[in-house]
Amino acid sequence: MKGKATSFDIAHYAGVSQSTVSRALRNSPLVNEETRRRVQEVAKQLNYKVDKNASNLRAQQSSTLALLLFEDPTADESQINPFFLAMLGSITRACASEGYDLLISFQSTSADWQADYEDSHRADGIILLGYGDYVDYQAKFRSLLEQNTKFVCWGASVDNRPDLTVSCDNYGGGKLAAEHLLKVNRKDCAFIGDASEHSPEFFARYQGFKDEFTRHDVTLSERKMANAISTEESGYHATRSLIANNIVFNSLFAASDLIAIGAIRALKEAGIKVPEDVHVVGFDNIAVASFTNPPLTTVQQDTTLAGQMLVFNLLKLIRSEEVENTLLPPKLIIRGSSI
Amino acid sequence: MKGKATSFDIAHYAGVSQSTVSRALRNSPLVNEETRRRVQEVAKQLNYKVDKNASNLRAQQSSTLALLLFEDPTADESQINPFFLAMLGSITRACASEGYDLLISFQSTSADWQADYEDSHRADGIILLGYGDYVDYQAKFRSLLEQNTKFVCWGASVDNRPDLTVSCDNYGGGKLAAEHLLKVNRKDCAFIGDASEHSPEFFARYQGFKDEFTRHDVTLSERKMANAISTEESGYHATRSLIANNIVFNSLFAASDLIAIGAIRALKEAGIKVPEDVHVVGFDNIAVASFTNPPLTTVQQDTTLAGQMLVFNLLKLIRSEEVENTLLPPKLIIRGSSI
DNA sequence: TTGAGCAGTTAAAACGTTTTGACAACAAAA
DNA sequence: TTTTGTTGTCAAAACGTTTTAACTGCTCAA
């Protein structure tokens, strides 16, 4: 036998037609039990594997999903946000358990994303992952929808968003953080993040946080806010600028753990003690969070469940079943940075 | 236009034959400049994308590589070793820059890996990644080679290994760690890891470490060694058991950063101060390493370069070019845990 | 005795490319 | 004038499946 065995080879050795081989291998009820057994036996013997390209071409589907990971454009090229990496793991597993392959691709937000995976029949659907500037994306989303591309998006489910999303209850998470700081009586709080419509997830976190403070008749000062994207560096600089402007506070809510870690570094450098002088709360509960000094109090997002929901919802969409946006419950993890 | 445009549609609108379209789109020299322009124009207008399945089927190749990630069987299901995740990033980028797609799949070492990606024409080659028990794998490697599967492996290049490898100079890295501890005069050193042929990478690290000590007439005590796989938990327990047995030492070399982090936790818990009482050195330089308390001294592996070499070497193998095993230089990163 | 229904099988037609071999049209060489 | 070559194009043959439609034998009811 030269080259790889084809279904014709199996057919020949099993003494049946090629179409019967195809059916037998996929356990079609149209084929006799005894024949099926014989065919499968031969196939195994010849180490036959169905050619995915041929099979996909004929069946017009690929049993493959594509994961597009958007990185913050300014983030260090070599470092990927650990939060998304955690999600990657669970997405992979969920795909595998559903019998789908996963193609992955890192996109820089600046470049126009040729999400041509589906166009070129390489994937049946697309998962979009990243803290992105969704204002930028709206147009892209619409064009994807126009082309009838199946995709699901991780992130904030803003009211007028046309796409299917899975997201953490960022608003509720912000409330959890606020509740905690109020309970330990650290009401003079700074916020590091981006509370604009450009990053709706951070915005929602901030809203929830603020609303909970307001509910307790505490007003957050606009002056105690600084912009940052989700990197350690960015959190560091934002916090430094607050300190440099002589802004004082006794607690700090960071829109993500990476920001929080950068903030802690800036605080320490300025001789401000965590948690004695300033309590710090982050968001995400990335693996690093428990190893920082002090360990970081944070709002956990359930990445395992998130990955599963992304995959399951996308598959439903592909099968044209009913799907709805999914909101996952956050959970407060209290550690040394706020006690 | 219902459904997706095919090359026949383009042919029709451009007033040429389908075969000319195929050539024009791939910039074949066989087609006239003017015709090419016209065809590409039409293709763009109809948002035409070559069907990968059809093209792969015909061309008998897939422009896709598969990444198989082996996890330590006992590792927490939801947590993936951050070292491999870092590598994943650079592999993805390297693939993209070479025009290849990347399929990824997590394998548990126990299950027999049906590395049937290549068999089923889904990928042109395979990258194997993981701290694995290579004794177990030898047989698998040979069967892959027999089937003429193209694959490249991250890990120790043991002499009699039949496969193509890219690896860090683990032996040299071990020497670096030893050099450093000797320089700061912490000669009474414990080792946490697995110095058996089952994990040749850890073994090589230990060998380099020991040889450097020996070169300085210092003998390492067999009693001050404890077995661990590459998880925080495992490092924690191994270190606890040393302490429980009243074994004393003033420095500790861990075969990986995760192990080192677990070790630090165990030491602290026992009231042993790092670095005052015990200097700790790890291996990998994962992102967490700079955030531990104290920050971890470690031997860095260049994951960016490693990922690139894995991809480049695999592509060479696929193209039947000359390839050799690649050894990457490690680098010592000195941080608070050893000064 | 016919006809309908069923179970198992097959030949042949897709699927959308790439590539081979043939064939025009025209120019240059004999 | 015939030959030889060159350039561009095209029709048709792969690639290895899945699926449709057709065809056997059968059995069972009318």
Side-chain angles (χ1 to χ4, degrees), chain A residues 153-207:
Chain A
C153 206
W154 170 257
S157 69
V158 174
D159 283 346
N160 60 349
R161 262 176 82 172
D163 53 324
L164 179 65
T165 62
V166 171
S167 56
C168 174
D169 180 1
N170 290 294
Y171 182 87
K175 289 187 74 154
L176 286 181
E179 251 173 46
H180 172 67
L181 288 178
L182 287 166
K183 196 180 292 168
V184 296
N185 203 31
R186 292 281 182 145
K187 298 179 179 168
D188 190 10
C189 189
F191 173 79
I192 314 278
D194 180 353
S196 77
E197 77 275 18
H198 286 278
S199 42
E201 297 165 275
F202 286 5
F203 183 64
R205 290 171 194 179
Y206 176 69
Q207 284 298 323

Side-chain angles (χ1 to χ4, degrees), chain B residues 303-319:
Chain B
T303 53
T304 304
L305 187 56
Q308 287 171 353
M309 293 310 296
L310 282 166
V311 172
F312 295 160
N313 282 358
L314 179 54
L315 290 182
K316 277 190 189 167
L317 197 62
I318 290 170
R319 299 193 202 103

Side-chain angles (χ1 to χ4, degrees), chain A residues 86-128:
Chain A
M87 212 117 113
L88 172 61
S90 84
I91 290 174
T92 311
R93 261 184 267 273
C95 279
S97 81
E98 296 290 308
Y100 273 74
D101 283 331
L102 184 67
L103 272 173
I104 80 166
S105 159
F106 292 69
Q107 312 269 326
S108 61
T109 45
S110 47
D112 48 359
W113 25 304
Q114 312 101 311
D116 50 12
Y117 285 102
E118 220 224 34
D119 287 349
S120 59
H121 288 259
R122 263 184 298 212
D124 298 334
I126 300 175
I127 297 174
L128 300 170

Side-chain angles (χ1 to χ4, degrees), chain A residues 15-196:
Chain A
V16 294
S17 77
Q18 179 267 339
S19 38
T20 299
V21 171
S22 171
R23 280 195 255 268
L25 292 177
R26 285 169 313 123
N27 292 317
S28 156
L30 293 179
V31 51
N32 182 290
E33 182 60 35
E34 151 65 13
T35 317
R36 184 211 318 291
R37 243 199 2 78
R38 196 168 71 248
V39 169
Q40 294 189 336
E41 178 61 29
V42 175
K44 193 166 188 178
Q45 220 132 68
L46 299 192
N47 192 29
Y48 169 80
K49 296 277 160 45
V50 174
D51 183 312
K52 274 287 174 183
N53 289 320
S55 142
N56 290 341
L57 170 60
R58 177 57 233 235
Q60 292 294 75
Q61 44 104 336
S62 63
S63 313
T64 300
L65 302 181
L67 174 61
L68 266 48
L69 201 50
F70 294 88
E71 302 178 68
D72 257 324
T74 44
D76 177 359
E77 264 282 305
S78 70
Q79 290 288 345
I80 307 162
N81 190 316
F83 173 71
F84 293 119
L85 285 181
M87 212 117 113
L88 172 61
S90 84
I91 290 174
T92 311
R93 261 184 267 273
C95 279
S97 81
E98 296 290 308
Y100 273 74
D101 283 331
L102 184 67
L103 272 173
I104 80 166
S105 159
F106 292 69
Q107 312 269 326
S108 61
T109 45
S110 47
D112 48 359
W113 25 304
Q114 312 101 311
D116 50 12
Y117 285 102
E118 220 224 34
D119 287 349
S120 59
H121 288 259
R122 263 184 298 212
D124 298 334
I126 300 175
I127 297 174
L128 300 170
L129 202 57
Y131 285 129
D133 184 334
Y134 285 105
V135 173
D136 270 9
Y137 291 176
Q138 295 282 345
K140 296 281 187 185
F141 287 157
R142 292 194 199 282
S143 103
L144 281 181
L145 283 168
E146 261 166 35
Q147 291 174 48
N148 199 29
T149 298
K150 312 294 188 185
F151 71 102
V152 58
C153 206
W154 170 257
S157 69
V158 174
D159 283 346
N160 60 349
R161 262 176 82 172
D163 53 324
L164 179 65
T165 62
V166 171
S167 56
C168 174
D169 180 1
N170 290 294
Y171 182 87
K175 289 187 74 154
L176 286 181
E179 251 173 46
H180 172 67
L181 288 178
L182 287 166
K183 196 180 292 168
V184 296
N185 203 31
R186 292 281 182 145
K187 298 179 179 168
D188 190 10
C189 189
F191 173 79
I192 314 278
D194 180 353
S196 77

Side-chain angles (χ1 to χ4, degrees), chain B residues 2-213:
Chain B
K2 52 174 190 206
K4 295 210 157 114
T6 74
S7 49
F8 282 95
D9 297 323
I10 312 295
H12 176 248
Y13 285 106
V16 294
S17 78
Q18 180 268 340
S19 39
T20 299
V21 170
S22 171
R23 279 194 257 267
L25 293 177
R26 284 170 312 121
N27 293 317
S28 156
L30 292 179
V31 52
N32 183 292
E33 182 60 36
E34 150 66 14
T35 317
R36 184 211 317 290
R37 243 196 4 77
R38 195 168 73 249
V39 169
Q40 293 189 337
E41 178 61 28
V42 174
K44 193 166 190 178
Q45 219 131 69
L46 299 192
N47 191 29
Y48 169 79
K49 296 278 161 46
V50 174
D51 183 312
K52 274 287 175 183
N53 288 320
S55 133
N56 289 341
L57 170 59
R58 177 56 232 236
Q60 292 294 75
Q61 45 105 331
S62 63
S63 314
T64 300
L65 302 182
L67 174 62
L68 266 48
L69 202 50
F70 294 89
E71 303 177 68
D72 257 324
T74 45
D76 177 358
E77 264 282 306
S78 70
Q79 290 288 344
I80 308 162
N81 191 316
F83 173 72
F84 294 120
L85 286 181
M87 212 118 113
L88 172 60
S90 83
I91 290 175
T92 311
R93 261 183 265 273
C95 278
S97 82
E98 296 290 308
Y100 273 73
D101 283 331
L102 184 68
L103 273 174
I104 79 167
S105 160
F106 291 69
Q107 312 271 326
S108 61
T109 45
S110 48
D112 50 357
W113 25 304
Q114 313 100 313
D116 51 12
Y117 284 101
E118 221 225 34
D119 287 349
S120 59
H121 288 260
R122 262 183 299 211
D124 298 334
I126 300 175
I127 297 173
L128 300 171
L129 203 56
Y131 285 129
D133 184 333
Y134 286 104
V135 174
D136 269 10
Y137 290 175
Q138 296 282 344
K140 295 279 186 187
F141 288 157
R142 292 193 198 284
S143 103
L144 280 181
L145 284 168
E146 260 165 35
Q147 290 173 49
N148 199 29
T149 297
K150 312 294 188 184
F151 71 101
V152 58
C153 207
W154 169 258
S157 69
V158 173
D159 284 345
N160 60 348
R161 264 177 81 172
D163 53 323
L164 179 66
T165 62
V166 171
S167 57
C168 172
D169 179 2
N170 290 295
Y171 182 86
K175 288 187 76 154
L176 286 180
E179 250 173 46
H180 172 66
L181 288 178
L182 287 166
K183 196 180 292 170
V184 296
N185 203 30
R186 292 280 182 147
K187 298 178 179 169
D188 191 10
C189 188
F191 173 79
I192 314 279
D194 181 350
S196 79
E197 76 276 16
H198 286 279
S199 43
E201 297 165 277
F202 287 3
F203 183 64
R205 290 171 195 180
Y206 175 70
Q207 284 298 322
F209 188 77
K210 195 180 73 172
D211 288 359
E212 185 65 17
F213 266 71

